[in-house]
Each structure stands twice: as C-alpha cells, then as structure tokens.
Amino acid sequence: MALAHSKSHFHSLQYLSIITIIILILFIQTSIATSPLYHICSNSQNFTTNSPYERNLNNLLGDLYLKTPPTGFGLSSTAQSYADRAYGMSLCRGDISKSNCTACVVEASSEILKRCPNNRGAIIWYDNCLLKYSDIDFFGEIDTRNRFYMWNLQNVSTNGTHDQAFNQRTRELLSNLSNEACGSTKMFANGEVELISSMKIYGMVQSSRDLSSVDCKRCIDDAISELPVCCEGRQGGRVVGGSCNIRYEIYPFLNL
Ligand SMILES: *[C@@H]1O[C@H](CO)[C@@H](O)[C@H](O)[C@H]1NC(C)=O
Ligand SMILES: *[C@@H]1O[C@H](CO)[C@@H](O)[C@H](O)[C@H]1NC(C)=O
Ligand SMILES: *[C@@H]1O[C@H](CO)[C@@H](O)[C@H](O)[C@H]1NC(C)=O
Ligand SMILES: *[C@@H]1O[C@H](CO)[C@@H](O)[C@H](O)[C@H]1NC(C)=O
Ligand SMILES: *[C@@H]1O[C@H](CO)[C@@H](O)[C@H](O)[C@H]1NC(C)=O
C-alpha cells in the first residue's frame, strides 16, 4: 500500500515534470520568437492618458497595422491638431511573409506601449520588423540617433590572414548589396559569397523606403563603416538603426 502510494506519487511527479518541461520549452520558444531585439524610449516628453496625443497614437498604430503587411512598409501620421500630430513607421524584413509581418507589427505595437508608457517617441526592433513613432516629423530623414549592434561571440579564426580576408569579403558583399537594395523599390537585398575552405558568408541589407536612393546608400554604407566598432572578425554581426540595417552570418538566416 505504502509502496503503491509512493510509486504512484513518483509517477505523477514524473508526469508533472514532463509537462512542466514541455510548457517551459513552449514558453521559451514563444518568447524567443516574439522577444524584441532592443527598444529605445526616445522622447523626454510624456503624454497623459486620454490626451489627444494618445488618441492619435492609437489611431496611428491601427493605421500601420493595416498599411504595413501588403508591402512590408508603412508610413502614417494622424492629428486632430498640429501640436498633437503623431508620426509613425513600420518596416518588415524583406523576406517576411504578410502573416508574419502582421504578427510582428501587432506584437511591436503592444510591446512598445508597455515598454515606453506615455512616451511621445519610441522605437522597437524585432528580427522580423521595426516600429517607430514620434511627435516630430522624421519622414525622409536618416535616423542617426537610434542605433545598436549585435554580434556572434565566436571569432572567425585565430589566423590573422584569414580574418583579413573574411572582413574584406564581408564588406564587399554588403557594399554590393547596398548598391542593389538602394537601386530597387523594396530597398532590400540579400546574397552570399563563398570564402576559402567552402565557408560562405550570408548578408542582408535593408533601408526604410521613405529615404531617397542616395540617402539609402548613405545610411547603409555608414552602417557598413561601423563594422569595426562591433563585429570585425566575428562569425556574425548586425548594425541596426532606425532607418537601415545590415547583417551577416556564416549560415543562412532568412526565410527564403
Ligand atoms: C515620463 O515618464 C517616465 C516614466 O513614466 C518618467 O520616468 C519621466 O520622468 C517622465 N518625464 C517627464 C518629462 O515627465
Ligand atoms: C513565419 O515565421 C516562422 C518562424 O520564423 C517560420 O517558421 C514560418 O515559415 C514563417 N511563415 C511564413 C508563411 O513565412
Ligand atoms: C574573439 O576576439 C576578441 C577580440 O580579439 C576577444 O576579446 C574574444 O575573447 C574572442 N572570443 C573568442 C570566443 O575567442
Ligand atoms: C592562415 O591561413 C592561411 C589560409 O588558410 C594559410 O595559408 C596560412 O598558412 C595560415 N597561417 C597560420 C599562421 O596558420
Ligand atoms: C561585388 O560586385 C563586383 C562587381 O559586380 C563583383 O566583381 C564581386 O565579385 C562582388 N563581390 C561580392 C563579395 O559579392
């Protein structure tokens, strides 16, 4: 009896822990899929609850939700009066499907309001999209204020000559992609190049489509010139800004 009891107790514990592990895995996967890369609450001014700015911002986010998925890019501004105008932009990564773009914009809208409550300007980045709003008109201007870097902790090799070639080929690939992206309406390009010993470098560049072709190129080339700050010799790196971003890895990372 005691044995049976402890046995069944053991079984139910084991059963419980398997469920717990499955729930944990699901939780971790969901949080990885949806957690932002970074955010910046960019304005020192706050708005108050139920203010005209709050209503405009909510309308703006609703508008971006409708506008963005069909093309992967949305610009919107809403106002009741000039002083309360809100300007917003959202941009999905060039390879992202409409449904994943929608999901990302929805997630970004709700998350940015939580992370920057009542802030009149903010930006949030995900793997799949970025969302930005402000009470200042930023359309058509290169965002030089909001920027961050990410890199792979692994280095390419400890062999100096190999590193040089790797860095040079990476820059060359991204510069070529910059030309391609900024000459196209989507302002997105991806590609790959084979390095020695069958190692490939995969790259991607993207600019927001409110920039002119010249500013697209200026923004992306500037990001490429930042690679020594974060990423030289690393197996992967990203320079991510409010107007454009670049990324390279030694594995394919797009949903193509
Ligand atoms: C805005 O709100 C944040 C947090 O709610 C607070 O830390 C900050 O001081 C406020 N800024 C101004 C200018 O009131
Ligand atoms: C949406 O994103 C998920 C996770 O990145 C991916 O597995 C899936 O293929 C994407 N769906 C479409 C339709 O692209
Ligand atoms: C990679 O290189 C950097 C800079 O040379 C060094 O600080 C770091 O420890 C290296 N990382 C690994 C994993 O070897
Ligand atoms: C570094 O790598 C290059 C190319 O693979 C090779 O020719 C060279 O001998 C290596 N140098 C050292 C010090 O390992
Ligand atoms: C970059 O473009 C030039 C000219 O089209 C080409 O010769 C070169 O192989 C390209 N480099 C890379 C890394 O894609």
Side-chain angles (χ1 to χ4, degrees):
M1 185 75 170
L3 184 64
H5 180 260
S6 80
K7 227 180 168 178
S8 78
H9 186 61
F10 174 69
H11 278 299
S12 70
L13 263 186
Q14 201 174 38
Y15 182 63
L16 254 185
S17 67
I18 288 170
I19 290 189
T20 312
I21 288 167
I22 290 172
I23 288 173
L24 264 178
I25 289 172
L26 284 177
F27 176 73
I28 289 166
Q29 279 183 337
T30 325
S31 59
I32 285 173
T34 59
S35 64
L37 302 174
Y38 199 61
H39 75 279
I40 296 172
C41 308
S42 60
N43 202 306
S44 55
Q45 298 297 306
N46 291 330
F47 60 82
T48 51
T49 308
N50 291 323
S51 62
Y53 191 79
E54 182 176 53
R55 282 194 294 278
N56 287 336
L57 182 56
N58 286 335
N59 289 339
L60 179 79
L61 296 175
D63 197 32
L64 290 176
Y65 163 79
L66 294 175
K67 271 186 182 163
T68 314
T71 62
F73 176 67
L75 271 187
S76 179
S77 79
T78 52
Q80 291 174 328
S81 72
Y82 180 74
D84 299 314
R85 192 176 284 269
Y87 301 84
M89 178 186 96
S90 47
L91 178 66
C92 287
R93 204 174 69 188
D95 60 307
I96 295 299
S97 67
K98 275 180 195 158
S99 59
N100 278 356
C101 180
T102 304
C104 193
V105 171
V106 168
E107 174 68 20
S109 299
S110 96
E111 199 60 30
I112 192 74
L113 295 176
K114 277 186 228 153
R115 290 180 180 234
C116 302
N118 298 347
N119 202 298
R120 288 174 75 93
I123 180 166
I124 190 164
W125 290 271
Y126 289 77
D127 265 332
N128 286 2
C129 71
L130 90 78
L131 179 85
K132 173 181 172 179
Y133 62 81
S134 174
D135 59 355
I136 298 164
D137 181 359
F138 59 85
F139 297 168
E141 282 168 27
I142 301 176
D143 181 345
T144 53
R145 286 176 35 174
N146 301 306
R147 175 183 277 170
F148 68 99
Y149 311 93
M150 293 174 78
W151 58 89
N152 190 318
L153 288 176
Q154 296 302 314
N155 295 321
V156 172
S157 81
T158 52
N159 179 333
T161 53
H162 191 151
D163 291 355
Q164 283 303 318
F166 182 83
N167 294 335
Q168 195 198 319
R169 294 293 274 171
T170 302
R171 269 197 304 273
E172 193 183 315
L173 171 66
L174 294 172
S175 298
N176 282 4
L177 293 176
S178 164
N179 290 332
E180 189 186 322
C182 297
S184 76
T185 52
K186 211 175 172 191
M187 293 191 165
F188 168 82
N190 68 282
E192 61 195 64
V193 62
E194 186 159 285
L195 203 66
I196 43 167
S197 62
S198 75
M199 180 199 239
K200 275 188 179 175
I201 308 169
Y202 299 83
M204 172 203 97
V205 308
Q206 183 169 29
S207 164
S208 75
R209 288 172 227 161
D210 58 321
L211 295 190
S212 66
S213 162
V214 169
D215 282 345
C216 166
K217 185 127 182 60
R218 194 173 287 155
C219 186
I220 292 174
D221 289 347
D222 185 45
I224 294 170
S225 75
E226 292 281 303
L227 283 174
V229 176
C230 59
C231 308
E232 283 211 317
R234 304 292 192 174
Q235 289 186 5
R238 309 189 208 186
V239 179
V240 186
S243 296
C244 69
N245 69 86
I246 62 170
R247 179 175 180 184
Y248 74 89
E249 305 285 353
I250 56 170
Y251 59 88
F253 55 90
L254 299 176
N255 294 322
L256 297 170

